[in-house]
Amino acid sequence: MQTQVALKRIVYLNLILVFCFGCTQKESLGVFESEELNFRLEKITDSIRVPFGMCFLPNGKMLVTNRFSGEILQINVKSGKKRRLKGVPRSYCRGDGGALDILPHPDYEINGWLYFSHSIGDSISSSMAVERFKLLGDSIVELQRIFTASPFFKSPSHYGSRMAIKEGYLYFTMGDRYDLMDSAQTLNNHLGKVMRIFEDGQVPKDNPFYEVSGAKPEVWSYGHRNPQGLTLHPKTEELWLHEHGPKGGDELNRIEPGKNYGWPIICHGIDYDDTPIGDGITHMEGMEQPMYHYTPSIAPSGMEFYTGEEFAEWEGNLFIGAMALTHLNRLVLKDGKVIHEERLLEDFGRRVRVVREGPDGLLYLGVDGGMILRMVPL
C-alpha cells in the first residue's frame, strides 16, 4: 500500500510539473522534509533583490515588487522571464522603503484594478501611499492615488505595508516609523495603524473613529508596531495581521474594529539594547493580547492561509515568511487558536519575504537576494 501511494505521488508530481501554468520542470534547489510531507523547491526566476509583494494574474503571469529598486516586475511563470512595468509611480527607496505590496481586485477580470502600496518622499520627509491602476500590456494606465499616510517624517523605517480587500473595502497597514512609536497610541495620525477605506479611496462612515474629533477617519485598529503581514481567514473572512516586535515579541493578531493592540505600552519583547519597552509590561486592561507571539523574533513578513488541494495535509494552515531566523513558518490552527508550529526550510537559509498560494494550489515564495521559488509536493 505504501509503495502504491508513493508511486501515485510521483505520477501526480510529474503531472503538476507538466501542466502547472503549462510549464516544464524548473531548476530544482533540493528536496525538503516537513512533519507531514516532503516537497521539492524550484526556482522560477532570480535577480530580484527584495521581492516584497507578489500576486497572480489570470493570464498565468505574476507581479512582484522589488522594494529595493521601486520596480514592479511582470514575470512569466512558465519561462521565468521578467519585464518591468512602465509608468510605475516613483518610490522612496531607502531603509524599509520602496515598492511594497501589490494586490489585484477580487473582480480583476471584470474591472482590471490593481492596488500598490509604496513609500514616497525623500530623505528629508517621507511617508506611505496607496495607488490603484490598470494594465495595458506592460504599461500602467489610469493611475490614481487613493491614500497618503500622515504625517511625513524623516526616518526611512517602518512603513508597513500590506493590503487585503473584502466586500468593497480595502484594508492596509502602516508602521509606527520607529522613532515615532508613541504615535501608535494616538488617533490623530496613521502611524502604527490598520486603515479601512472603500476600494476607490473614500472613507466609510461606519469606521470606528469616523466621528471622533481629531481622529483620522480611516483608522480601523491601532497600537501596532510594523505590520508586514495581512490576510483574510478563508472561512470566517476575519482580518489577521502579524507585526514585528523589537527584540522578541513578534505578534500574530486577529483584528477587530476600534481595538487597541498595545504597542508600545505593552509588549512581549525588549528593546534592542536589552532594556524594557516603556514600563516593561505585557498586559493592560483595554489592550488586546496577541493570539501568538515569537521570542526570539523570527522577523515575520508576508502571510497566507493555505486553501488548495496540492498540499492536502496543510489545508487551513497559516504560512508566514521569517527573515531573522530564515525559514517558512507553518502554524496549525484549531477553533481560531494556534495549536502547533513548524519551521520549514531552515536548512535553506534564506530570508523569506513573501509567501503566496498560486492558482495551481502550490506555494510560491519570494526570498531576499532574491529568487522567486515554488514548492511542489512529492
Side-chain angles (χ1 to χ4, degrees):
M1 177 64 72
Q2 291 182 345
T3 301
Q4 291 177 340
V5 170
L7 288 172
K8 287 181 179 179
R9 278 283 193 184
I10 292 171
V11 172
Y12 188 49
L13 170 61
N14 289 333
L15 288 173
I16 290 173
L17 293 174
V18 171
F19 293 113
C20 140
F21 290 103
C23 60
T24 55
Q25 183 171 331
K26 298 290 186 180
E27 176 186 350
S28 175
L29 300 179
V31 172
F32 298 83
E33 297 181 353
S34 80
E35 295 170 351
E36 297 177 331
L37 55 86
N38 297 339
F39 58 91
R40 183 198 309 276
L41 198 62
E42 298 177 342
K43 183 172 73 173
I44 301 298
T45 193
D46 56 18
S47 303
I48 306 172
R49 184 162 173 178
V50 184
F52 191 98
M54 178 193 299
C55 70
F56 295 86
L57 300 179
N59 61 5
K61 295 181 180 179
M62 64 164 62
L63 298 179
V64 176
T65 65
N66 185 350
R67 194 198 72 186
F68 177 79
S69 64
E71 298 170 321
I72 303 176
L73 303 169
Q74 187 176 83
I75 299 172
N76 185 313
V77 179
K78 178 181 177 180
S79 66
K81 292 182 178 180
K82 305 185 293 289
R83 298 180 69 178
R84 296 186 185 93
L85 293 189
K86 301 171 184 176
V88 176
R90 180 180 177 274
S91 299
Y92 173 56
C93 301
R94 294 290 185 277
D96 294 336
L100 300 174
D101 209 9
I102 184 84
L103 180 71
H105 191 282
D107 295 326
Y108 174 81
E109 290 186 85
I110 298 172
N111 62 37
W113 285 117
L114 288 153
Y115 293 81
F116 171 54
S117 65
H118 64 131
S119 57
I120 58 173
D122 53 36
S123 60
I124 298 173
S125 182
S126 66
S127 189
M128 185 272 292
V130 178
E131 324 266 3
R132 73 172 183 170
F133 60 83
K134 297 181 180 181
L135 283 180
L136 183 61
D138 59 358
S139 295
I140 285 177
V141 297
E142 298 187 42
L143 178 67
Q144 302 173 5
R145 177 163 299 176
I146 60 172
F147 176 83
T148 303
S150 175
F152 278 61
F153 184 63
K154 63 181 180 180
S155 167
S157 300
H158 291 193
Y159 298 98
S161 164
R162 297 289 182 182
M163 302 183 290
I165 295 180
K166 180 177 75 168
E167 298 174 348
Y169 300 104
L170 176 68
Y171 299 83
F172 54 95
T173 69
M174 176 63 182
D176 66 355
R177 302 305 303 279
Y178 190 76
D179 293 315
L180 300 181
M181 66 174 68
D182 292 337
S183 297
Q185 284 296 315
T186 55
L187 297 172
N188 63 351
N189 64 80
H190 296 117
L191 308 185
K193 312 292 194 303
V194 175
M195 268 66 69
R196 182 181 79 148
I197 60 177
F198 285 116
E199 58 192 40
D200 63 358
Q202 297 185 65
V203 182
K205 293 182 179 179
D206 61 346
N207 274 2
F209 305 108
Y210 186 86
E211 295 183 350
V212 175
S213 178
K216 293 295 185 183
E218 300 90 349
V219 174
W220 187 247
S221 66
Y222 64 110
H224 303 289
R225 187 170 182 263
N226 190 27
Q228 292 189 345
L230 190 71
T231 193
L232 297 170
H233 191 283
K235 294 182 179 179
T236 67
E237 292 197 324
E238 295 167 314
L239 194 66
W240 288 52
L241 167 151
H242 70 60
E243 56 190 281
H244 292 273
K247 195 173 182 180
D250 299 337
E251 294 185 2
L252 175 66
N253 287 298
R254 186 166 47 210
I255 301 303
E256 297 182 53
K259 294 292 181 71
N260 182 351
Y261 290 82
W263 175 258
I265 296 176
I266 61 173
C267 178
H268 289 269
I270 58 176
D271 214 338
Y272 296 111
D273 61 2
D274 294 330
T275 60
I277 299 292
D279 292 332
I281 59 175
T282 57
H283 294 69
M284 180 175 282
E285 186 176 355
M287 297 184 180
E288 303 301 305
Q289 281 295 301
M291 300 176 61
Y292 195 71
H293 63 89
Y294 299 90
T295 301
S297 292
I298 66 168
S301 184
M303 181 163 64
E304 186 89 319
F305 281 100
Y306 183 72
T307 63
E309 298 179 355
E310 310 308 326
F311 296 98
E313 297 89 342
W314 291 346
E315 194 274 330
N317 290 182
L318 183 61
F319 289 86
I320 298 172
M323 298 184 294
L325 296 186
T326 59
H327 68 275
L328 179 64
N329 201 261
R330 181 176 74 92
L331 297 178
V332 182
L333 309 171
K334 183 177 181 180
D335 299 326
K337 297 181 180 179
V338 176
I339 61 171
H340 181 65
E341 175 191 350
E342 183 183 13
R343 301 187 173 189
L344 307 172
L345 296 172
E346 287 185 293
D347 295 341
F348 191 57
R350 295 295 184 104
R351 291 163 56 90
V352 180
R353 180 71 65 170
V354 61
V355 53
R356 285 283 183 260
E357 180 182 334
D360 53 3
L362 302 178
L363 285 170
Y364 289 74
L365 312 176
V367 300
D368 284 3
M371 295 181 287
I372 304 300
L373 308 171
R374 178 168 62 206
M375 297 168 59
V376 181
L378 296 175

